[in-house]
């Protein structure tokens, strides 16, 4: 069940507080509040034992350690039962040799999915769900990414997104297109004439690289 359901009645936006919940998972009962102090990538998938979802789960499992190094936990969700989750994870390990070490939560009543706007309030199935939310250590949604059910997510891009969010916040700078670890960051646009001085070739007052 969710806490403060009122928070999830409308469409969630970046910088909204993530709706709280308590749910059964493959790692026991979990609550959103138990992730405070760490980043969280909460992702939903249409159904267990499906091809695209399996490819995503394998990719998430292989990237699990990389997310952990960023102080970011992974948490999956679908409306399938806990027993279905357990059977699916066991089959993935048996068939593909990949052990999924992060939990999947069950949402059979679609309560959490609806609180997060993953489903229309009148929906009776999870066919349209392939949503991802990046939640910061204070429980604030920092990014929302949606994919259609017939196209799998890029786990590498989500990993890059988390690191870019963290780095931008820590450095007080902006991450340009395709930014990855080690690349130059951008300064916020100049707010005064003085800030726009001392430009290098290829720069403008609204596009300045952060100098080391």
């Amino acid at each position: 069940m969710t806490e403060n359901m009122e928070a999830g009645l409308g469409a969630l936006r970046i910088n909204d507080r993530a709706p709280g919940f308590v749910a059964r998972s493959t790692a026991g009962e979990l609550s959103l509040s138990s992730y405070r102090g760490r980043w969280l990538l909460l992702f939903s998938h249409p159904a267990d034992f499906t091809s695209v979802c399996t490819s995503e789960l394998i990719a998430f499992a292989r990237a699990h350690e990389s997310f952990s190094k960023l102080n970011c936990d992974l948490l999956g969700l679908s409306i399938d039962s806990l027993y279905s989750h357990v059977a699916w994870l066991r089959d993935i390990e048996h068939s593909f040799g990949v052990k999924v070490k992060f939990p999947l939560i069950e949402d059979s009543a679609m309560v959490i999915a609806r609180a997060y706007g993953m489903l229309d309030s009148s929906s009776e199935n999870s066919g349209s769900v392939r949503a991802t939310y990046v939640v910061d250590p204070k429980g604030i949604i920092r990014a929302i990414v949606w994919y259609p059910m017939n196209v799998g997510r890029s786990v590498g891009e989500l990993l890059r997104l988390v690191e870019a969010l963290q780095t931008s916040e820590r450095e007080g700078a902006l991450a340009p297109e395709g930014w990855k670890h080690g690349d130059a960051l951008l300064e916020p646009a100049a707010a005064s004439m003085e800030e726009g001085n001392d430009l290098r070739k290829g720069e403008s007052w609204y596009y300045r690289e952060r100098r080391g």
Side-chain angles (χ1 to χ4, degrees):
M1 61 183 293
T2 62
E3 305 162 353
N4 302 322
M5 277 294 296
E6 295 84 358
L9 292 178
L12 290 174
R13 296 178 174 86
I14 292 172
N15 294 326
D16 282 350
R17 180 165 296 280
F21 59 79
V22 177
R24 295 200 308 170
S25 83
T26 53
E29 187 173 274
L30 292 175
S31 65
L32 181 68
S33 61
S34 65
Y35 290 95
R36 285 293 176 85
R38 292 179 59 82
W39 289 74
L40 174 67
L41 193 137
L42 171 65
F43 67 95
S44 60
H45 61 273
D48 296 349
F49 296 102
T50 56
S51 56
V52 176
C53 297
T54 298
S55 72
E56 290 184 328
L57 212 65
I58 290 172
F60 275 124
R62 288 173 173 164
H64 187 202
E65 185 175 343
S66 295
F67 279 99
S68 294
K69 289 179 180 178
L70 295 177
N71 193 39
C72 181
D73 290 315
L74 299 175
L75 181 60
L77 172 152
S78 82
I79 69 165
D80 296 283
S81 71
L82 178 61
Y83 306 106
S84 176
H85 285 342
V86 170
W88 187 35
L89 297 189
R90 286 179 174 173
D91 191 70
I92 287 175
E93 184 174 6
H94 173 76
S95 298
F96 305 100
V98 176
K99 186 175 181 63
V100 177
K101 298 180 180 179
F102 57 85
L104 299 183
I105 56 179
E106 69 171 356
D107 189 26
S108 301
M110 297 184 282
V111 176
I112 300 172
R114 285 184 174 137
Y116 275 77
M118 296 171 179
L119 293 174
D120 182 87
S121 60
S122 62
S123 177
E124 295 181 355
N125 61 64
S126 62
S128 63
V129 176
R130 200 179 295 282
T132 308
Y133 297 82
V134 180
V135 182
D136 73 13
K138 295 180 180 179
I140 303 301
I141 296 173
R142 300 294 297 278
I144 301 172
V145 183
W146 284 60
Y147 277 75
M149 65 179 300
N150 60 327
V151 177
R153 284 165 279 222
S154 168
V155 172
E157 167 58 18
L158 294 174
L159 183 64
R160 186 195 76 86
L161 173 61
V162 172
E163 185 168 16
L165 285 168
Q166 295 178 353
T167 303
S168 176
E169 180 178 275
R170 183 177 63 250
E171 301 296 332
L174 310 174
E177 183 279 328
W179 180 91
K180 58 184 181 299
H181 183 81
D183 288 351
L185 294 164
L186 298 178
E187 297 284 4
S192 68
M193 292 291 291
E194 290 74 18
E195 288 185 60
N197 294 331
D198 191 28
L199 296 174
R200 295 177 293 190
K201 186 177 181 180
E203 291 187 330
S204 180
W205 62 271
Y206 57 84
Y207 187 97
R208 298 174 296 146
E209 288 190 350
R210 170 67 58 90
R211 302 181 186 182

